Amino acid sequence: MADKIFRVNMTDLSTSIEDVPAEWAGHGGRGLTSTIVAAEVPPTCHPLGPNNKLVFAPGLLSGTTASNSGRISAGAKSPLTGTIKEANAGGTSAQKLARIGCKALIIEGQPQDDSWYSISLKPGEITISKEEKLVGKGNFAVVEDVEKRFSDKIGVISIGQGGEMQMAAANISIKDPDSHIRSLGRGGLGAVMGSKKIKFIALDSGDAKVEIADPEAFKAANKTFTKALVDHPVSQALGTYGTNVLVNIINEAGGLPTKNFSQGQFEGHEQISGETMHDLIVERGGKPKHGCHAGCVIQCSQIYNDIKGNYKTSGIEYESIWAMGADCTIDNLDQIAEMDHILDDIGLDTIETAVAFGVAMEAGVLAFGDSNEMIRIMTEEIAKGSPLGRVIGNGAGNVGRTYGITRVPVVKNQAIPAYDPRAIKGIGVTYATSTQGADHTMGYTIATEILGVGGKADPLSKEGQVELSRNLQIATAAIDSTGMCLFIAFAALDDSTCLPSLIDMINARFGINLTANDVTNLGMTILKTEHAFNTAAGFTNLDDRLPEFFEIEPVTPHNAVWDFTGEEIDTFWNF
Ligand code: SF4
């Protein structure tokens, strides 16, 4: 069956299944969500109003047997940043959507009354239903109930209370193969889904499969590609310690933002490190190695059990552990895992929410290190929508403005993640110039600056950092379009067989002849499309700046400051 565009209009509750316009045919994942948002969403619209659209798209290779190809992209105008936004996640939804034959699901309009709805998709079929039972419930209850109504094979995309209350830190949750939660984390897309009054989307692909134009060529390319992934040493470290392997590494580099970005090292780093977490997981009968979707061969995820050996959370990332840990000076992994579970349930981005807590701690709303109070505020204030809960649930910038704090680590109002840009400067260029606000995944210079992948760059020097960030942002935009997990980038940068075999798979899937140049051009086109949307929304190069405190407050242990001029940053767009 040919791929189609599935469209849902929430104003008049109509649906349609349309042919794919020729200009969208070569896109998938982020390339497609950004192309559709740029084409159909007025850049100056209110992100929570009827003119914004929420778009889901599987990657070009999602639904196939290609290793690590199960990432789903969601796009819209972001209520957090006001920019175009793409978030991506693992789980089962990308594979289900692709097998349903849905190249993109576009949700537009807004209901005229206060009713809530669910949507279900099958091959060739869209159903909109009224939903009452699950309104007000967290994501775990939603997944459990939807599986009972349909089957445990169903894919589920949902929002928790955070999305229902249209909080700017709200994420969209994706069911994983174990019926746990993965998150389309950044940019408040859960609030956009909430504004359209959709509690969940159920995906039933039945036994439908994705068609492959040249199955033999596809199989051969996948074999080469998979070998490149599993052989790379960073893939192996990720499979042992998860992304949390980075706590000790980034702390050693002096770039682990601590106590609301006032220090670059955390004295409790050992207690929250990947090594400590690994041993704890093994001791409690959890799984240190686990995939967020079927077909992942790196498996950086894990199953974290509590002290009694019962499941607590999974896929707990370095960035989440850093944000709730070092940034809030909490050195207890069990408390961090508890908070990770709660935020998954409410449906809030762990980075945005925990950085917001760090700013609230700076303001004296609660004490640094007080994890019990954090847990109380999450469950009793945020989940219930109290005034304090809404202040924090609307993100770090909102907390800073509410309490008059000047050390507020955001770019375009999105919280800066787990790498201090004063001590690791290339990632600062990515934060400043990304089309999506501060986001390490948009151009992960840490690979080269800290891990020595794809060459070397001195993290404390400005030299070559704009070029490094630019090259990685272009490559990332292309990778985000394939449905591939970003962690294929380590092998792609170091192993000469990796990228060609990825391109071979795309060619074999669609019967086309893409070249490496085509892929680079695709990445450039996506960035320019996103940048043009932001410009039309009112953003200028003056928005591509880090907060002032990075320039005037040196960070220990290197006493480094952010020292790029605006003119230097602006050269990023010279391509
Ligand atoms: S490497 Fe990690 S993030 Fe990537 S697909 Fe596998 S489990 Fe998911």
Side-chain angles (χ1 to χ4, degrees), residues 82-114:
T83 65
I84 200 165
K85 175 60 65 179
E86 184 261 1
N88 72 67
T92 60
S93 295
Q95 292 160 331
K96 300 273 180 206
L97 271 179
R99 290 170 192 157
I100 283 170
C102 176
K103 189 165 177 71
L105 167 63
I106 303 174
I107 301 171
E108 55 196 31
Q110 209 159 50
Q112 311 286 297
D113 59 17
D114 288 336

Side-chain angles (χ1 to χ4, degrees), residues 173-288:
S173 299
I174 307 289
K175 189 189 105 168
D176 79 3
D178 304 315
S179 303
H180 299 141
I181 299 294
R182 304 284 148 173
S183 305
L184 292 158
R186 310 233 59 199
L189 295 183
V192 180
M193 189 157 152
S195 77
K196 302 200 177 297
K197 296 273 190 281
I198 296 166
K199 183 64 180 173
F200 71 85
I201 302 168
L203 306 172
D204 182 0
S205 57
D207 52 11
K209 290 200 168 43
V210 161
E211 285 172 19
I212 307 284
D214 186 343
E216 285 310 311
F218 188 92
K219 205 167 146 193
N222 193 22
K223 197 170 165 199
T224 308
F225 178 73
T226 303
K227 181 169 175 1
L229 295 191
V230 297
D231 284 353
H232 196 278
V234 174
S235 303
Q236 290 162 6
L238 286 170
T240 306
Y241 300 113
T243 54
N244 202 27
V245 70
L246 286 166
V247 163
N248 282 341
I249 294 171
I250 303 299
N251 189 70
E252 178 68 22
L256 188 74
T258 298
K259 204 174 184 186
N260 189 32
F261 283 73
S262 62
Q263 304 158 22
Q265 289 181 320
F266 178 42
E267 55 175 38
H269 66 96
E270 283 292 356
Q271 290 95 299
I272 62 168
S273 69
E275 292 82 345
T276 301
M277 188 169 88
H278 172 271
D279 294 349
L280 211 53
I281 288 172
V282 171
E283 192 183 302
R284 294 174 177 181
K287 278 192 194 170

Side-chain angles (χ1 to χ4, degrees), residues 68 71 182 290-293 296 298-301 317 485 487:
N68 286 56
R71 306 285 296 188
R182 304 284 148 173
H290 174 256
C292 72
H293 67 262
C296 168
I298 297 176
Q299 302 201 322
C300 78
S301 176
E317 304 265 2
C485 158
F487 296 149

